[in-house]
Each structure stands twice: as structure tokens, then as C-alpha cells.
Amino acid sequence: MVVYSRLIPIFVVTGFLGSGKTTLLNHMLRHPSLKDAAVLINEFGAVGLDHFLVKKMDENTVLLASGCLCCTIRDDLKSAILELNSKRERGEVPRYKRMVVETTGLADPTPILFTLMSDPVLRNHYRLGGVITTVDAVNGLHQLDRHAESVRQATVADRIVITKSDLVETSQLAALKAHLMRINPAADYMIGRFGKIDVRRVLRADVYDPSKKAAEVKHWLDLEAIKTARDHKHIHDVNRHDEHIRSFVVTVERPLDWTAFGIWLTMLLHKHGQNVLRVKGILNVKGIDAPVIVNGVQHIVHPPLHLAAWPDDDRRSRIVFIVDDMDGTLIERSLAAFNRVGAAAA
Amino acid sequence: MEGPHWSEAGTDAARDAEVASGRQRFLERAYRVRVLNRVLERFSCKADDWTGGQYVVRSPNGAADVVTSLPQLWKAIESCSGRSADPLELELIVRLERAEPIAH
């Protein structure tokens, strides 16, 4: 059986045009933690990447029969990874231990995540390590207002790196961060100055790395940050691309029945996967002492895994949802109803 | 070889336990089918286990469809019942709130 945590992690670096993805990548790749990483990029930009293994991929997208954009296989990405993998196996390239994929600035990253998490061949060798999104402090608010792709890039992120912060006033930086936190309160926010960033903290986004998962989950469940983000006042404008995106935490008091939860979540994602942009949580599963982590992007859910211990004193199941135009109260009531069905003792 | 869908595999500790105990796996599977059928009462369709790795979805008029995972099952249920498989549908939620819980 494949042990998920031993698969090669792939970090996806996304962000709008000119938001500093390549600058960030260049900085990241100089860090010792990434000296053994392979890099796949969509286009060779003006800033060259100085790294031992950089490969370009061409866009070749195959839409699956379901017709849902997020369930699209990126054939180019799959081929590029498998080609590199073959060379790695044959010893034609160094045995890289991680991979970084940079997306184009205009891309909705969800097909890339879908490809990495659902393709049966890739899943035997690789897993998604984390999604890092760059947002430009100067133009970020404008891009979020005007471009749906920019909003998608922010909602799927585990890390949001606000770049070019040295070029704006503190108040503008604070306004952008507050805006982003309303879209994605469960991400870790980092401020990049002069193209530099704490690389170790970026790589902690990998919740399936046993040495990092406890700290990462604690961050997901920073409920105060989520509440503050939700309460943050913003101007209502139905033409904004992020107007209908909201986040909330579903809390379940009684232990969850794992079977009922699986039935419920697969049904929810079957019907509403396009609108469930992220789901991340810690579950108190009936009959299991250790907490269970659940982590999904749209229709796709990572294999659930255990934490060694609870990150705080709260023993309730807590699931963070980032959704597009969905009713959080109804989701909570629905989960409780399904859980109730599986609640009887033998 | 591709592993089972996450909802079938259980959590990682449970996965280990399942490998260790075929009987446990059989019982879990039977329990899943019972919980599933409580939900499916709303759709007038039924699901049965098929060789421990698949489900047979049966419509009221006897038509049957074999699926390998829960995501596939929801599609089959929609074909079988002509209804949308939506866990947020209020009538389904109210039914489950009133339903008898299933013993494990």
C-alpha cells in the first residue's frame, strides 16, 4: 500500500500576472530545503530561473465528461511530471525529493490541483504538498475585483504571500490583507519584502509532512482570525468576483460517525463541489482517540490522516468551509442530521 | 494500482486495522450500506454491497447499476430516481432528523 506521507510532495506556486511568482520561486529555490527540487513552469518569463532542473510545459487541457471546469485534467502537466519521473527512475536527472509547479498568471489553479490529486498514475508517486499564492500589494485589490482567476488563486491557497509590500503604505497593505482574509481566513499570510520570504514557513504548508502537520492544523483552526475576517466590513457590489465567497466554521459537538461523514461529504461534493472551494478541518471521530484531519479542494479530498494529539483543549469537530454562495447554517444542519443517523450504539 | 476512494478507506489508523482484520472490514462495509440505505429512502432506490468492493444500485422497477465508489453512487442514484442527490435538500434533512439511528 502506498504511504501517502512518503510520496513526493508537489508545491504549486500560483498568482496573478506580475504578482512576483518567479521572483518568489527564485528566492525559494536558493534555500537549502529546496536544493533537491524539480521545477515545472508554464512559461519562461523575463526572470530566468537558476536551478538544476527546470522544465517547461505547454498548456493542453482536457475537459472531463462532467464538464465541470475544476474537474479538468491538465494533460500537459501530467505528461511533464511523468516524463521527469521516468528520467528520475533511469538516473538521467538527479533524484529530486520535491517538485514545484508554477502556474500561468491567468490560470484558475483548480484543474492543476485536480490533476495532481486525482490522476491514478500520478497519485502513486506524488501528492499535493501545498498551494502558495502570491498577491501583489500594489495591484492585488484591483485584480481581485476584476479577475475571477485571481479570486480562485486566493481561495485555494495554503500560504498567501503578499509581495511588493515595500511599495505601499501600511494602510493599503492592511486593507488588502483584510480583504484576502475574508476570502480565505484559513491560509497563513506572509509579507514579502524586496522579494524575500521565510521559505521554511512557506514549506510548512505541507500538512502531510509528519513534522509539520500539527502546527499547520493549529493555524487552520485559528477561529478568532476567521471570525474577524467574517465580521470585516466590505463594500457590497454584486459585480465583484469575490462578492459571494464566504468562509465559516461548522462545529459538531458530538463525535462524528466516520461512515456517515463519508456519505455526507461525498454527496455534498457531488452536488456542490464547484462551490465548495476549500474544506479543511479536524474531526473527533467516534471510536478513535486521535483527531482526524480532512482537507479538500472542490471535488477532491486528500486521504484523511491522524494527528498524534489534539492541537488545543477543544475536542469538538471543526471544519472550515470556503464557499461560493452557499448557506453555512444549512450545511451545519445537514451534517448533524447525517451524523445523527449513524449515531446509535450497537 | 489505485487505492480505494478516501471515504471507503477509512482514516489511516482504521486502514491499518482493516488490513489486519477482514471481519472488521466486512462489518464496516455492512454498516456503511445500512446508513446509506437510510439516506436513500428519500430516493426510492436501494444500494447493496457487491463482493465487498462495489455497490449495486437498484431502482424500484428492478433496474440495477454497479458502481465502485460513493461519488459514482450519487450519479447512479440520480439516474435511478430522477432526483438531484443533494444533502442540503430540506426534505432529506428533516427526514434524517426524524429517522431511527442505525446501530453500528
Side-chain angles (χ1 to χ4, degrees):
Chain A
M1 179 181 284
V2 175
V3 178
Y4 198 66
S5 59
R6 289 185 199 150
L7 300 175
I8 297 173
I10 300 181
F11 292 87
V12 174
V13 177
T14 185
F16 208 69
L17 293 170
S19 62
K21 290 187 296 296
T22 310
T23 309
L24 174 77
L25 252 184
N26 253 328
H27 178 66
M28 283 173 64
L29 294 174
R30 279 191 216 109
H31 194 273
S33 306
L34 283 175
K35 68 178 187 330
D36 50 7
V39 186
L40 286 176
I41 58 174
N42 255 132
E43 56 209 333
F44 288 112
V47 185
L49 281 175
D50 177 21
H51 195 65
F52 78 83
L53 235 182
V54 178
K55 190 174 178 351
K56 182 180 181 295
M57 51 185 167
D58 298 311
E59 287 226 34
N60 178 13
T61 305
V62 178
L63 195 61
L64 296 186
S66 73
C68 164
L69 179 68
C70 59
C71 296
T72 305
I73 286 284
R74 284 282 305 269
D75 237 10
D76 54 337
L77 175 64
K78 180 181 167 182
S79 307
I81 294 175
L82 292 180
E83 191 187 323
L84 263 182
N85 198 64
S86 299
K87 288 182 176 172
R88 180 181 184 270
E89 295 299 316
R90 292 197 299 266
E92 292 170 16
V93 298
R95 287 188 70 79
Y96 56 85
K97 292 182 181 154
R98 302 164 195 262
M99 186 176 281
V100 181
V101 173
E102 182 193 0
T103 75
T104 60
L106 284 171
D108 174 344
T110 46
I112 288 177
L113 308 185
F114 180 78
T115 304
L116 297 179
M117 292 165 76
S118 66
D119 183 85
V121 183
L122 292 182
R123 279 173 48 189
N124 264 336
H125 303 281
Y126 298 86
R127 64 185 169 82
L128 181 64
V131 181
I132 300 143
T133 299
T134 52
V135 180
D136 170 357
V138 181
N139 300 306
L141 270 176
H142 176 77
Q143 287 160 350
L144 289 164
D145 282 354
R146 298 293 174 91
H147 301 285
E149 296 86 357
S150 179
V151 176
R152 289 281 156 153
Q153 289 163 357
T155 54
V156 298
D158 296 297
R159 292 284 177 278
I160 292 184
V161 180
I162 301 179
T163 59
K164 306 179 188 175
S165 64
D166 43 298
L167 300 180
V168 297
E169 298 292 330
T170 316
S171 58
Q172 190 178 341
L173 190 61
L176 174 62
K177 188 176 172 190
H179 190 98
L180 285 164
M181 284 191 72
R182 195 175 60 75
I183 299 171
N184 186 350
D188 185 14
Y189 285 83
M190 304 177 66
I191 306 295
R193 288 187 198 281
F194 304 104
K196 291 185 179 158
I197 197 75
D198 180 353
V199 175
R200 252 179 263 225
R201 190 167 143 196
V202 170
L203 297 177
R204 277 206 301 268
D206 185 3
V207 76
Y208 293 90
D209 182 329
S211 66
K212 297 173 180 120
K213 62 184 178 183
E216 179 64 10
V217 170
K218 198 164 184 172
H219 183 79
W220 292 359
L221 300 169
D222 186 351
L223 301 187
E224 203 48 47
I226 291 169
K227 185 176 179 307
T228 307
R230 192 184 54 208
D231 296 345
H232 176 72
K233 289 186 172 51
H234 67 283
I235 300 160
H236 287 279
D237 174 358
V238 290
N239 295 316
R240 290 170 68 120
H241 284 290
D242 59 357
E243 180 60 27
H244 299 288
I245 292 173
R246 55 182 66 103
S247 55
F248 48 83
V249 181
V250 166
T251 306
V252 187
E253 300 283 341
R254 60 201 299 178
L256 276 174
D257 181 89
W258 177 253
T259 298
F261 178 77
I263 290 171
W264 177 78
L265 187 59
T266 55
M267 196 179 184
L268 183 77
L269 297 181
H270 162 75
K271 178 68 185 168
H272 299 284
Q274 268 183 290
N275 294 52
V276 179
L277 306 176
R278 281 307 302 254
V279 50
K280 291 176 164 184
I282 186 165
L283 310 180
N284 182 343
V285 175
K286 196 165 53 181
I288 300 176
D289 292 335
V292 175
I293 295 170
V294 65
N295 182 13
V297 182
Q298 299 202 305
H299 293 283
I300 303 296
V301 177
H302 285 277
L305 83 166
H306 282 95
L307 279 186
W310 285 86
D312 52 31
D313 294 333
D314 195 342
R315 294 291 179 271
R316 297 172 302 171
S317 297
R318 288 158 283 164
I319 311 169
V320 181
F321 280 87
I322 301 174
V323 299
D324 189 349
D325 207 15
M326 290 181 75
D327 180 349
T329 313
L330 198 57
I331 289 176
E332 192 159 53
R333 184 175 167 189
S334 171
L335 173 56
F338 275 69
N339 193 41
R340 188 188 159 280
V341 168
Chain B
M1 195 179 100
E2 193 177 1
H5 188 259
W6 69 266
S7 59
E8 309 282 328
T11 66
D12 48 1
R15 275 198 293 275
D16 296 343
E18 281 186 16
V19 169
S21 164
R23 177 175 158 71
Q24 182 64 21
R25 191 173 163 191
F26 172 79
L27 292 174
E28 288 294 332
R29 182 87 179 171
Y31 173 64
R32 183 175 297 123
V33 169
R34 289 202 303 278
V35 175
L36 199 50
N37 278 317
R38 178 57 44 87
V39 176
L40 297 185
E41 285 168 7
R42 168 81 182 117
F43 299 89
S44 309
C45 300
K46 276 198 74 177
D48 290 320
D49 179 39
W50 180 256
T51 65
Q54 294 166 307
Y55 300 99
V56 185
V57 174
R58 296 182 200 280
S59 72
N61 62 15
D65 194 359
V66 179
V67 297
T68 56
S69 67
L70 287 176
Q72 287 179 13
L73 179 133
W74 299 121
K75 283 183 198 162
I77 291 297
E78 288 184 337
S79 307
C80 151
S81 66
R83 280 175 194 280
S84 170
D86 184 357
L88 305 184
E89 185 207 34
L90 204 53
E91 188 167 334
L92 172 63
I93 294 173
V94 170
R95 267 174 177 260
L96 295 179
E97 285 172 343
R98 293 173 181 163
E100 193 69 26
I102 304 289
H104 198 163

